[in-house]
Amino acid sequence: MAESHARYVSRLVPRNTKVFTAVVIAVAVVNSATLGYDSSLMNGLQILPSYTDYFHLNTATNGLNNAASWMGAILATPLLQFVPDNFGRKKAILLSAIVCFIGIILQSASQNIGMFIVARMIVGLGSQLSSAASPALLGELLPAVTRGRILGFFFSCFYVGSLASAIINYGSQNIQSTWSWRLPSLLQIIPSLLALCLLPFVPESPRWLISQGRHDQPLWQLCHFALSVPQLTRNNSFYLDKILTQAGITDTTTKTQINVILSCFSFVVACFGSYMLDIIGRRKQALGSVASMIVCLYIVGGMIKKFGESSNKSGIYGTIAFIFLFQGFYAFSITPLTSLYPTEISQYKLRTTGIAIFRL
């Protein structure tokens, strides 16, 4: 019996459920952390003169730089159902990490605007590849009692990547060379490396194995996890620089500080929002947050119009406060629901298809 258990469940898979859950989340988080890092990276780079001067950016090329990752994400959409359903959730995450790895190396070594845009498209394609596999793997491995909160927390780790990027950008702004933007670009590779290192410690989805006719293996996995379940009971914008400038904040150091603080604030709010999903309910929390975001957006627009070119510090600080409130309402609801809701409402046969359509 021990030989059969070893055959079907790798000895590398943690037997303690709390450790197992932490490893599964860490592997899956490559998707959200990479997206978060990328978002904050572009906000940070656009603040740095060394970046904008190197590529001779204007309004059009700056917009193209920001759009490139989403262009890659759209190109990846047809693969979001095909790869996880045909090759497995783990292999889809592995492929995602490898593609991101390639794109990040090219992005960091970019010599011209064309190379940078192509590299960002590859990064966008790679990070999107795991956006169906990662939540599906979590949803199919974790017990129902914790699934909602953990899936909500999963995409809340968007802000872990965002915070790391904001801090690195803040620290690199004084480097007197192109490494002031190449270093933050290169360090985006960390989530992908972590995923590659941790993936051997995670089993494949039992539901996927059953769908492939491999019935013995998931039976052993489910038995193993069932024995330890009682132990477990318990938006961002690429144009922050432009918005802050319009609001009257022009100092580079102040902008990078705001970027760091905003990431910290959003992460805390997103974690709290993940916890509240089972208390408030998915629909009420989403509708309340969207309504609040609309109100904040109109107020920000009005305050920028009124105080953006003035020296009224109270008006400028008020504008920044409502930018934070807008981001807070987004983080409280939309961030955790991004991975939870499409995964939760889709039956197994349509799960990755539903996630793919949602992502598109």
Side-chain angles (χ1 to χ4, degrees):
M1 185 168 181
E3 291 180 0
S4 297
H5 186 273
R7 174 186 170 191
Y8 292 127
V9 181
S10 170
R11 294 185 183 277
L12 295 176
V13 176
R15 269 41 182 177
N16 181 285
T17 306
K18 291 182 179 179
V19 177
F20 166 77
T21 302
V23 173
V24 171
I25 293 173
V27 170
V29 155
V30 62
N31 170 241
S32 54
T34 300
L35 285 174
Y37 192 103
D38 186 71
S39 178
S40 187
L41 173 72
M42 292 310 298
N43 277 326
L45 294 188
Q46 289 173 60
I47 296 172
L48 301 177
S50 61
Y51 167 77
T52 56
D53 293 346
Y54 184 83
F55 290 116
H56 306 290
L57 294 181
N58 54 39
T59 302
T61 52
N62 190 49
L64 185 57
N65 271 0
N66 291 329
S69 63
W70 300 109
M71 292 162 64
I74 291 172
L75 292 175
T77 303
L79 303 174
L80 299 189
Q81 182 271 333
F82 178 80
V83 176
D85 281 0
N86 287 276
F87 300 101
R89 284 38 171 151
K90 283 183 64 176
K91 288 183 178 178
I93 296 173
L94 174 63
L95 179 61
S96 168
I98 292 172
V99 173
C100 283
F101 190 97
I102 295 170
I104 291 164
I105 294 296
L106 291 174
Q107 178 177 290
S108 305
S110 293
Q111 301 299 306
N112 53 60
I113 189 66
M115 184 175 178
F116 191 84
I117 289 170
V118 170
R120 283 190 48 70
M121 289 180 67
I122 295 172
V123 173
L125 189 152
S127 59
Q128 186 78 330
L129 271 175
S130 70
S131 63
S134 296
L137 181 65
L138 284 175
E140 291 160 12
L141 281 176
L142 298 174
V145 67
T146 57
R147 187 178 301 138
R149 289 176 183 173
I150 292 178
L151 272 172
F153 174 76
F154 159 67
F155 204 73
S156 299
C157 287
F158 176 100
Y159 297 110
V160 174
S162 176
L163 176 60
S165 177
I167 293 173
I168 291 167
N169 272 304
Y170 179 73
S172 69
Q173 64 180 319
N174 294 321
I175 299 176
Q176 301 301 314
S177 70
T178 59
W179 279 104
S180 64
W181 64 265
R182 293 190 192 275
L183 180 61
S185 296
L186 184 61
L187 292 179
Q188 189 177 356
I189 208 168
I190 292 175
S192 298
L193 288 176
L194 287 175
L196 292 173
C197 293
L198 291 173
L199 206 55
F201 298 91
V202 176
E204 182 54 88
S205 161
R207 295 296 304 274
W208 182 80
L209 291 168
I210 290 172
S211 74
Q212 301 298 304
R214 295 157 64 179
H215 298 280
D216 294 338
Q217 186 171 345
L219 177 61
W220 278 105
Q221 288 186 187
L222 291 171
C223 288
H224 166 66
F225 300 138
L227 289 173
S228 49
V229 162
Q231 303 174 34
L232 194 62
T233 306
R234 65 162 185 89
N235 181 358
N236 215 299
S237 167
F238 285 147
Y239 295 98
L240 180 63
D241 173 50
K242 301 297 183 184
I243 294 171
L244 293 178
T245 299
Q246 290 175 351
I249 304 294
T250 57
D251 180 66
T252 298
T253 301
T254 303
K255 287 181 178 179
T256 53
Q257 288 173 341
I258 290 174
N259 198 18
V260 172
I261 297 169
L262 185 59
S263 295
C264 292
F265 169 72
S266 299
F267 177 61
V268 172
V269 173
C271 290
F272 179 62
S274 300
Y275 177 79
M276 295 301 293
L277 284 172
D278 289 333
I279 298 174
I280 298 176
R282 278 61 161 158
R283 291 180 70 252
K284 289 181 180 178
Q285 191 163 326
L287 290 172
S289 291
V290 170
S292 301
M293 287 164 60
I294 292 171
V295 173
C296 288
L297 195 60
Y298 274 99
I299 293 174
V300 168
M303 295 186 77
I304 285 177
K305 176 67 174 178
K306 177 71 175 177
F307 302 110
E309 296 181 357
S310 75
S311 58
N312 187 323
K313 289 189 176 181
S314 296
I316 293 172
Y317 292 154
T319 306
I320 300 304
F322 275 98
I323 291 173
F324 269 72
L325 283 174
F326 174 86
Q327 189 62 35
F329 284 121
Y330 183 95
F332 181 68
S333 178
I334 307 304
T335 296
L337 284 174
T338 295
S339 293
L340 170 62
Y341 208 63
T343 304
E344 195 171 53
I345 66 173
S346 302
Q347 58 176 296
Y348 175 76
K349 290 183 179 180
L350 300 176
R351 182 165 296 143
T352 53
T353 304
I355 295 173
I357 293 171
F358 168 77
R359 287 290 185 176
L360 176 61

